[in-house]
Amino acid sequence: MQAQRGMYIGGAWRPAEGQDTIAVVNPADEQVIGYVPAGTAADVDAAVRAARDAFPGWAATPQAERAALIGALRDGLAARKDEMAQTVTAELGAPPALAQTVHAGLPVLVAGSYAELAATYAFEEKLGNSTVYFEPVGVVGAITPWNYPLHQIVAKVAPALAAGCTVVLKPAEDTPLTAQLFAQVVHEAGLPAGVFNLVTGLGPVAGQALAEHPGVDLVSFTGSTAVGRQIGAVAGAAIKRVALELGGKSANVILPGADLAKAVNVGVANVMSNSGQTCSAWTRMLVHRDSNDEAVSLAVDAVAKYAPGERVGPLVNAKQQARVRGYIEKGVEEGARIVAGGPESPLGKGYYVSPTVFADVTPDMTIAQEEIFGPVLSILRYEDEADALRIANGTVYGLAGAVWAADQETATAFARGMDAGQVDINGGRFNPLAPFGGYKQSGVGRELGPHGLAEYLHTKSLQH
Ligand code: NAD
């Protein structure tokens, strides 16, 4: 994928206002693979104006037409799947198989789900003597991270478009090429000019300008809790709608009587996937004290299959690599026991971290509390179910989790007690229509499926 030199604004690639650029680096070999423009407040302003101009027309477009255009976008993503996967591998370092199935594949499913929802969603409802109308919020400012670069774009843009909103996207500075390729697909799908706009740039410059812009009606952000808090404060001061999808420290709770080998193997795979750079990763494994030794040994065997440079890619950049290695050192300092991996770099080149498993982790340790965002698993022991629930709920986060038990009822009852937005029961499959989002400091709002679409709607009632 050849980097674009401009911004996609008002249906065309236009030169950026400033001269600054951002280098895009392949984290597997540390080589620069391209440059994209570093947008300024002036670029953001031009993009917001284009989105505002396009809004009335797009909001008034019949549902079936909006649905057909989102369907064309889905088809474009499917047609460019290989190129998309290669781009994600080049700028994020995702192994090719993961890039194909998850990074390029999942967005096709999600875009398809919104093509269907755009056609079938009930934008009107009768309630006694009232008719309730669900109307698009307006211009959406979408700020996305690098860990699932295309999925996070599609999970915001597709529902916003289905709702009748127009969008300005500011993607992560580490993965702008995926965003540029997405803009190209939007263009080829024939969406009207200004309905989708792209401004690449740095978070504190272009991202902040977008979050603060008075022409933006809703800010949808995915990323760190620190920046999310800042964006929430700015939106709150302006009485602006905001959706925040932040970090996590999700618990994988293995209850007595569960299939231990399956629960541990699936749990390890969940953490190692995408080099641990997944906000919903089950980074805390909770096992009954009687099963602890067996679980630790199963985890050591399971993690041995994740060779860096083969099944596990690098971290996205040098800063993340240093951050994750710092957490591993902190785990050792605080008394946890390394049973696999460690802080040393496994390869001479690239931002790799060894897949690492800690045993004897206690709930108060830093590695049991903070989001590490790397291939690091903490195994904690519990005494009984009440203790397991206390530990599971004992962090500031509440994004996701898993429960394994001898039967569905036991696992479901436990999951109902968890402070988490999404819990998989005995290996329940990912559902692209299920609402995704957090309790507590994991965020505000939900993405995906009909609940994700509702985020982009105002409610108006008329009494007759
Ligand atoms: P970040 O929050 O800084 O970046 C996310 C997005 O926000 C990027 O597009 C960035 O350009 C933008 N941004 C940054 N500062 C901004 C500002 N002041 N105003 C507006 N937008 C701004 O995340 P990061 O530094 O790339 O990663 C740091 C940590 O965040 C990770 O280690 C991880 O713990 C967490 N993270 C979580 C997720 C998630 O899916 N929840 C994704 C990425 C990172």
Side-chain angles (χ1 to χ4, degrees), residues 143-147 152 170-173 203-204 207-208 221-224 227 230-231 245-247 279 320 323 371 373:
I143 302 175
T144 54
W146 40 262
N147 57 335
Q152 276 141 341
K170 204 304 280 175
E173 36 277 66
Q208 197 163 328
F221 169 81
T222 300
S224 63
V227 176
Q230 219 173 309
I231 287 176
E245 207 270 90
L246 310 175
C279 47
Q320 286 298 117
R323 192 169 173 270
E371 184 175 55
F373 235 58

